[in-house]
Amino acid sequence: QVHLVESGGGSVQAGGSLRLSCAASESTYRGNCLGWFRQVPGKAREGVGIIYTGGGYIDYADSMKGRFKVSRDNAKNEIYLQMDGLKLEDSAMYYCAAVCPDGYCLCTGRTATESMGDFGLWGQGTQVTVLS
């Protein structure tokens, strides 16, 4: 069964760090383009970063570069989002997504900013709240 499950959200003081995890089923994870997106109530969902689980490709939305880092662990079928220097405006629901539910879709030609519509499988999200 295909699935994506996010974890690691919570409340953190401004300036702090959080690491989100996304556990994928093996069939979803294999050779696939996965990504992190976020959404604030009342606003459009936006891209954070995408990563190819086969290696060699990572793309970030311009506004996320520097403070956010996407990584993967192929042994665990997981991707991560390390968030440092968190700001109040980073408070959002963070979602993990995969382009192809059954794997084997490249990130080539896709970007975190422009390709959200390509992602066909989504997790339930994990809430991040940054406190002042």
Side-chain angles (χ1 to χ4, degrees):
Q1 185 174 1
V2 297
H3 67 257
L4 296 167
V5 180
E6 304 96 332
S7 61
S11 297
V12 62
Q13 294 291 325
S17 298
L18 273 178
R19 186 191 194 215
L20 306 183
S21 300
C22 172
S25 58
E26 183 176 0
S27 59
T28 296
Y29 188 87
R30 58 192 179 188
N32 208 353
C33 187
L34 270 61
W36 288 100
F37 301 84
R38 69 183 189 182
Q39 187 169 24
V40 175
K43 295 188 177 182
R45 191 170 296 187
E46 62 177 341
V48 176
I50 64 174
I51 185 168
Y52 177 56
T53 62
Y57 186 97
I58 299 176
D59 182 76
Y60 296 95
D62 287 343
S63 61
M64 309 298 172
K65 291 178 181 177
R67 296 188 299 117
F68 290 9
K69 180 180 179 182
V70 180
S71 61
R72 58 187 170 85
D73 186 333
N74 290 353
K76 296 181 178 180
N77 294 334
E78 293 184 351
I79 68 167
Y80 309 99
L81 178 63
Q82 177 67 41
M83 304 184 292
D84 299 319
L86 283 164
K87 304 176 181 179
L88 296 179
E89 54 264 39
D90 293 320
S91 294
M93 184 72 79
Y94 284 74
Y95 296 92
C96 176
V99 170
C100 293
D102 292 322
Y104 300 126
C105 281
L106 299 176
C107 281
T108 306
R110 295 184 167 101
T111 69
T113 303
E114 301 295 334
S115 304
M116 185 163 34
D118 292 349
F119 286 76
L121 179 67
W122 292 79
Q124 82 288 349
T126 186
Q127 178 67 40
V128 172
T129 301
V130 183
L131 306 172
S132 60

